[in-house]
Amino acid sequence: MEKYNHEKVEKKWQKIWEDTDAFKAEDDYSKPKFYGLVEFPYPSGVGLHVGHVRAYTSLEVIARKRRMQGYNVLFPIGFDAYGLPTENYAIKTGQHPRKVTDQNIKVFTQQLKSIGYSFDWDRVIDTTDPEYYKWTQWIFLQMYKHGLAYKDHTYVNFCTHCKVVLSNEDFRDGKCDRCGSDVIQMEKDVWFLKIREYAEKLLKGLDDVDYLPRIKTEQKNWIGKSVGAEINFNIKDHDQKLKVFTTRADTLFGVTFMVIAPEHPIIEELASDIQNMDEIAKYKKEAQHKTEFERVQLMKDKTGVQIKGVTAINPISGKEIPIFVADYVMMGYGTGAIMAVPAHDTRDWDFAKKFNLPIIEVIKGGNVQEEAYTDVASGQLVNSDFLNGLEVKKAIPTMIQYLEEHHLGKKTINYKMKNWAFNRQRYWGEPIPIVYCDHCGIVPIPEKDLPVELPKVTHYEPTDTGESPLADIPEWVNTTCPICGRPAKRETDTMPQWAGSSWYFLRYTDPHNTKALADMDKMKYWLPVDWYNGGMEHVTRHLLYSRFWHQFLYDIGVVPTKEPYKKRTAQGLILGSDGEKMSKSKGNVVNPNDIIAEYGADALRTYIMFIGDYEKPAPWSENGLKGCNRFLERVWRLQEIVKDGEEYSPRLESDMHKTIKKVSEDYEAMKYNTAIASLMTLLNHFYDVGTVTKGELSTFLKLLYPVAPHITEELWQIIGEDGMLHQSSWPEFDEDKTVDDVIEMAVQINGKVRGKIQIAIDAAKDKAHNLAFANENIKKFVDGKKVVKEIYIPGKIYNIVVK
RNA sequence: GCGGAUGUGGCGGAACUGGCAGACGCGCCAGAUUUAGGAUCUGGUACUUCGUGUAUGAAGGUUCGAAUCCUUUCAUCCGCACCA
């Protein structure tokens, strides 16, 4: 027997799989289908990460198993290739992003193939391919036609370093998520998608899908639904009303002032009556310069300015109350104005204390002069006229009903989720298919003229003005209006990175279609995605965005299912061997290439699956990897002890059935670590016995195949089995044979194990009693004591209680 | 602050519905083999004052029996965050 040569064997089988189109998904509608999806990588310059390996190997195992179970399997891969790192690299090195992207895709493809993934390489997608982004633009146009895409003049977050407008998702703590620089507020006209209109559908759809509970929870929190009321406050001596959103309509009698966001438009509307406009303008300017970070960090120190000359009227008590401008109220949530109830809201309380405003208790139970009393669950209303004596839960609907009857307000639902800022001021993205005509206004590009291709240019550095580099290319910007033919200008913003990934799973079902984003019959067969696996970091943005697009496409009849993904799971992070997140600066990054070169793809795959609980982060360990390599070499040597015989030998029969059951179930539950552990145990048993029948070995190879396909395929051939493993069938087990007739049962005295007995699994109690009391050690413990009680659970335990 | 988790040997982690805690792997120890190193093989490995002892972050409780259920508490991680 030759020593196992992983390099030779792995290359051999990778070539055979490729030459025979072994993993091609066929549009054979007569077969049951399985569509397994993994998040396609961003082809960065650093190449594949071991994190990718963990994310992909999990569904790879399922996909290989499904083929053996007779499914027609679609297991595709592609590249989400638009993005800043490529563009920045291109700027730095002077190479065109197209060239950089192509190089990176090549490297990624080679790496993915060297791991032996069973992707269908005929269906590869590249989001930067005009044939692909043509349909990304097409979907945008459908959204525009249905009123879901709109342009709005807002304050945006501009990163001075990346020279790019950031979405709310791309910056944290007031810093740019990519470069860490400070972010400033800037006024700009940008495109938005009305994802908020789908908030309710996105929430409801969660009831019908099988996502990990924490994923559903994160999505719910992100959407942030809250039920409350909109209440109108009159401005004294004016026609204007100040609208507020509150979840606590019951506290209306406790409102002693109002606060509006610095950006609130009513300031401009009432400017002529505001006596301290200078002061307010100054405050507004300061607030704009504050980063979100400062606004949050300084939360304890409330700032604000009273609007002098204008007051509001509490609609229910008729009292005149002051209005303040303060940056603790955000224009982006609710109506940008609040009714302040200092007695029962901590922020309002802080503000009231600082500005010496009255605090009126309306819910009994606390000392509101000392601190805000915010316990909603209990408490009765006081100082509240017709609400007095009611409990909070009752008082809220009562008040809302009153408000509705008197046209002072109405029940409203509010969402935290903001509309999707759908724009980037960069070169390397999908052009937004819109032109601006002085005569016709905003004009969508006709569908027949798609794609609007990115112009091939030599410079793509962003500008200082917040405009896209495309704005500097007059021959591209200047065009004619599709409606009237007069001169017009193109939209120069591009789409955000999330665009291309919002529908890629549809394209995999029919990647070369030139007439539609995908053929309806093909989508009807393949959709929905049966199982989607990816990172936790994508479960809010990407997963919500793509569900939004899919739900919209369903509503306009373009796709056949309401939801895109039936099931969604997520893997934990692979940490460096120091337990820290892998990063270049820490020098703890593991490169899959090195591992494959030294130990082979099968060892890498096996170890990554064995490393620990799939959903939890796990530190990399070179020794752990070696252990898995040792396991595979022990598997290789099984060929030395194999003997003829298709049957399972009596000594191993029950082990075989147990292992088939365990491995089958554990793979499905993503408990890869325990599945592999049970295969290791079975392997140990083979060596304990000293021989293994061909039947036993081929079952073992089938079970291990999804994790370590190369070595098992080679052994399969060596022992003379027919065909390749993916053409074989997944082993069956006999439930009866997974249960032993006679087991070793623990006998306890007062709950502590004091002896063991050999007993039939269904033995009667008196039989168990006799065996237990015949045990020497048990006798010793019972001797001289009084037996109070005996508990016998057949197949589990015999417990004797003594005194 | 709100929401979600997680806490088990030297390490990664097992443990069905409450029923022998520590599967499997790593590491470590001893032995075999080897010129040596490495590799491989065999055996051992929670702690222990060796007790009828202790032990699943800590403290209580329910139970014949608790890692698992309940109460309190501590720690760590993740997500959201002045959300009205």
Side-chain angles (χ1 to χ4, degrees):
Chain A
M1 184 197 76
E2 266 180 66
K3 194 177 179 314
Y4 181 59
N5 182 335
H6 60 80
E7 201 190 338
K8 196 175 119 195
V9 171
E10 288 177 358
K11 284 219 173 94
K12 169 184 164 183
W13 287 102
Q14 282 163 17
K15 183 162 188 307
I16 292 174
W17 293 331
E18 194 158 341
D19 291 349
T20 58
D21 278 333
F23 310 119
K24 198 173 172 158
E26 291 176 56
D27 293 311
D28 174 358
Y29 303 164
S30 67
K31 274 183 160 178
K33 64 96 182 180
F34 176 79
Y35 184 176
L37 182 69
V38 292
E39 285 171 348
F40 60 164
Y42 172 69
S44 73
V46 292
L48 208 67
H49 186 268
V50 284
H52 290 117
V53 180
R54 195 182 205 189
Y56 298 165
T57 308
S58 57
L59 278 202
E60 152 84 354
V61 168
I62 302 296
R64 291 211 184 234
K65 175 167 179 263
R66 285 285 183 283
R67 290 191 193 96
M68 293 165 81
Q69 290 173 309
Y71 285 85
N72 185 16
V73 171
L74 174 56
F75 187 48
I77 192 70
F79 300 96
D80 188 14
Y82 277 129
L84 270 186
T86 301
E87 185 164 343
N88 289 339
Y89 181 79
I91 291 166
K92 213 167 86 184
T93 62
Q95 295 182 71
H96 196 280
R98 173 77 268 154
K99 203 179 151 199
V100 175
T101 299
D102 288 342
Q103 279 168 1
N104 289 347
I105 286 180
K106 230 172 141 182
V107 171
F108 266 74
T109 302
Q110 183 274 323
Q111 284 189 300
L112 289 166
K113 285 186 174 173
S114 74
I115 300 172
Y117 288 131
S118 61
F119 292 127
D120 181 346
W121 289 100
D122 289 343
R123 294 181 186 244
V124 171
I125 280 170
D126 168 4
T127 55
T128 65
D129 179 350
E131 287 307 308
Y132 179 87
Y133 70 69
K134 171 181 175 177
W135 298 104
T136 312
Q137 291 173 336
W138 183 85
I139 296 169
F140 175 85
L141 289 180
Q142 307 313 308
M143 290 214 159
Y144 180 77
K145 280 178 197 160
H146 287 83
L148 288 171
Y150 67 101
K151 228 180 167 187
D152 202 7
H153 185 78
T154 59
Y155 292 95
V156 292
N157 309 298
F158 183 74
C159 172
T160 48
H161 178 260
C162 298
K163 295 173 179 170
V164 66
V165 178
L166 302 171
S167 71
N168 286 318
E169 291 82 44
D170 282 333
F171 82 109
R172 291 160 186 278
D173 302 336
K175 307 268 184 202
C176 174
D177 211 17
R178 299 180 184 283
C179 70
S181 317
D182 281 339
V183 169
I184 63 160
Q185 301 264 297
M186 194 169 178
E187 271 182 285
K188 226 191 161 314
D189 264 346
V190 294
W191 286 96
F192 286 92
L193 297 183
K194 291 185 184 170
I195 190 172
R196 281 169 64 103
E197 288 203 357
Y198 274 73
E200 202 58 44
K201 271 190 185 169
L202 289 168
L203 271 179
K204 248 188 133 194
L206 290 176
D207 294 340
D208 306 321
V209 292
D210 175 22
Y211 294 0
L212 288 181
R214 62 196 169 119
I215 295 178
K216 286 194 186 184
T217 308
E218 274 199 29
Q219 291 210 350
K220 279 179 194 156
N221 288 346
W222 188 268
I223 295 167
K225 179 179 180 173
S226 56
V227 179
E230 216 167 71
I231 304 175
N232 293 312
F233 283 67
N234 285 318
I235 307 287
K236 196 185 175 201
D237 303 327
H238 285 83
D239 292 337
Q240 275 96 343
K241 289 183 195 317
L242 206 45
K243 210 187 256 184
V244 301
F245 173 76
T246 179
T247 53
R248 298 296 307 279
D250 57 307
T251 60
L252 192 46
F253 286 99
V255 175
T256 55
F257 60 100
M258 297 187 79
V259 186
I260 64 173
E263 304 89 354
H264 201 288
I266 203 160
I267 297 171
E268 300 305 322
E269 291 169 28
L270 300 175
S272 55
D273 289 309
I274 297 174
Q275 293 156 9
N276 56 339
M277 202 56 193
D278 288 352
E279 197 187 351
I280 288 166
K282 192 177 156 224
Y283 182 79
K284 192 174 163 176
K285 209 168 175 188
E286 281 168 9
Q288 260 172 42
H289 280 282
K290 270 191 206 174
T291 62
E292 194 87 3
F293 179 70
E294 287 167 318
R295 273 167 90 148
V296 173
Q297 284 304 299
L298 304 173
M299 60 192 266
K300 279 182 192 108
D301 188 25
K302 295 271 180 298
T303 62
V305 181
Q306 184 175 356
I307 299 179
K308 292 194 176 121
V310 179
T311 55
I313 306 292
N314 183 327
I316 201 142
S317 66
K319 276 188 198 154
E320 189 176 339
I321 52 172
I323 306 172
F324 288 79
V325 177
D327 62 7
Y328 81 91
V329 174
M330 306 287 162
M331 201 57 219
Y333 184 78
T335 61
I338 62 157
M339 57 178 227
V341 187
H344 306 291
D345 181 285
T346 317
R347 293 152 302 163
D348 297 346
W349 191 91
D350 290 344
F351 196 83
K353 278 287 169 190
K354 181 153 178 185
F355 289 87
N356 258 322
L357 297 157
I359 297 170
I360 302 172
E361 178 182 53
V362 289
I363 292 160
K364 242 179 7 192
N367 180 353
V368 298
Q369 296 309 319
E370 290 302 315
E371 61 173 345
Y373 179 67
T374 56
D375 191 356
V376 190
S378 56
Q380 283 183 354
L381 275 286
V382 290
N383 301 324
S384 295
D385 197 342
F386 60 93
L387 295 179
N388 283 339
L390 286 180
E391 288 193 6
V392 170
K393 269 181 201 149
K394 264 230 156 113
I396 294 173
T398 307
M399 176 57 96
I400 292 176
Q401 197 187 347
Y402 178 91
L403 291 169
E404 284 180 344
E405 278 166 12
H406 294 80
H407 305 287
L408 298 168
K410 60 173 196 253
K411 188 175 170 182
T412 316
I413 292 167
N414 211 342
Y415 302 95
K416 265 198 259 186
M417 182 172 62
K418 291 170 183 148
N419 275 334
W420 180 2
F422 197 73
N423 56 85
R424 278 305 127 89
Q425 289 64 41
R426 301 290 291 227
Y427 172 78
W428 196 229
E430 301 90 343
I432 293 174
I434 291 285
V435 300
Y436 300 98
C437 169
D438 285 342
H439 190 251
C440 309
I442 296 178
V443 180
I445 300 281
E447 287 175 21
K448 66 174 172 56
D449 295 338
L450 295 181
V452 176
E453 287 200 45
L454 268 180
K456 295 196 169 51
V457 294
T458 45
H459 65 104
Y460 18 77
E461 288 81 358
T463 63
D464 294 327
T465 58
E467 299 256 29
S468 153
L470 294 174
D472 277 349
I473 310 165
E475 59 274 27
W476 187 77
V477 172
N478 294 315
T479 182
T480 51
C481 171
I483 297 175
C484 67
R486 282 174 234 200
K489 284 189 187 305
R490 287 188 191 277
E491 169 64 63
T492 59
D493 277 8
T494 50
M495 297 187 193
Q497 221 197 328
W498 311 103
S501 59
S502 290
W503 70 282
Y504 74 115
F505 54 93
L506 298 174
R507 190 67 178 172
Y508 283 139
T509 66
D510 190 13
H512 310 297
N513 196 321
T514 52
K515 306 247 163 25
L517 53 83
D519 177 76
M520 191 51 135
D521 284 338
K522 290 181 181 174
M523 284 193 283
K524 274 184 182 158
Y525 175 64
W526 287 114
L527 294 179
V529 171
D530 293 285
W531 194 336
Y532 188 16
N533 185 68
M536 273 312 280
E537 69 274 21
H538 289 135
V539 304
T540 45
R541 311 147 165 81
H542 160 64
L543 216 59
L544 278 171
Y545 291 156
S546 60
R547 288 184 60 221
F548 162 49
W549 278 33
H550 191 87
Q551 290 185 345
F552 163 71
L553 291 173
Y554 175 76
D555 287 346
I556 61 167
V558 173
V559 298
T561 62
K562 277 191 187 176
E563 285 286 335
Y565 320 117
K566 202 190 266 177
K567 172 174 179 162
R568 164 79 191 201
T569 52
Q571 76 278 354
L573 235 48
I574 299 281
L575 306 171
S577 49
D578 52 0
E580 301 284 325
K581 206 173 159 175
M582 281 191 191
S583 76
K584 238 186 192 167
S585 58
K586 289 198 193 90
N588 58 357
V589 178
V590 175
N591 185 342
N593 282 357
D594 301 340
I595 306 301
I596 293 167
E598 190 166 356
Y599 300 96
D602 282 340
L604 171 65
R605 294 164 58 120
T606 307
Y607 174 59
I608 279 267
M609 290 293 95
F610 185 65
I611 195 166
D613 184 336
Y614 185 69
E615 285 177 32
K616 286 195 204 131
W620 179 265
S621 154
E622 181 91 15
N623 281 327
L625 173 70
K626 281 183 188 164
C628 288
N629 191 48
R630 208 169 292 160
F631 164 67
L632 293 177
E633 282 174 353
R634 267 160 67 81
V635 171
W636 180 248
R637 289 199 300 271
L638 280 175
Q639 59 183 294
E640 290 194 312
I641 60 166
V642 69
K643 59 169 190 189
D644 283 345
E646 295 305 317
E647 301 297 310
Y648 299 153
S649 61
R651 271 183 77 182
L652 286 166
E653 187 176 33
S654 134
D655 279 336
M656 292 304 300
H657 286 274
K658 279 182 194 164
T659 308
I660 296 168
K661 181 180 161 127
K662 175 86 180 147
V663 171
S664 304
E665 289 172 358
D666 281 0
Y667 281 165
E668 294 300 323
M670 303 191 112
K671 291 163 94 174
Y672 306 100
N673 54 339
T674 50
I676 293 167
S678 69
L679 286 169
M680 289 173 169
T681 307
L682 182 60
L683 179 74
N684 290 340
H685 288 181
F686 288 163
Y687 280 107
D688 289 345
V689 171
T691 57
V692 59
T693 66
K694 201 177 143 197
E696 285 155 2
L697 181 52
S698 64
T699 295
F700 182 87
L701 294 176
K702 284 177 179 180
L703 294 175
L704 180 61
Y705 167 75
V707 174
H710 310 87
I711 191 172
T712 48
E713 200 80 90
E714 182 73 10
L715 281 166
W716 182 257
Q717 194 179 58
I718 287 171
I719 64 170
E721 294 283 2
D722 293 331
M724 280 183 273
L725 270 159
H726 71 271
Q727 297 158 330
S728 73
S729 59
W730 190 250
E732 305 276 336
F733 63 91
D734 184 343
E735 186 71 51
D736 289 345
K737 289 182 179 153
T738 63
V739 188
D740 295 321
D741 297 337
V742 176
I743 57 156
E744 185 184 68
M745 183 183 282
V747 180
Q748 299 181 328
I749 305 286
N750 294 343
K752 292 215 154 59
V753 179
R754 299 299 185 200
K756 306 270 173 80
I757 54 173
Q758 299 291 324
I759 188 167
I761 192 142
D762 53 357
K765 187 172 180 179
D766 55 339
K767 171 104 181 165
H769 171 92
N770 292 341
L771 283 165
F773 281 81
N775 182 293
E776 287 303 321
N777 202 40
I778 297 297
K779 269 189 204 159
K780 208 169 84 192
F781 278 91
V782 176
D783 203 32
K785 301 211 173 79
K786 193 183 161 202
V787 175
V788 182
K789 200 173 174 185
E790 290 171 56
I791 294 121
Y792 173 53
I793 313 287
K796 303 246 176 179
I797 204 87
Y798 199 94
N799 190 13
I800 303 162
V801 186
V802 298
K803 238 173 38 192

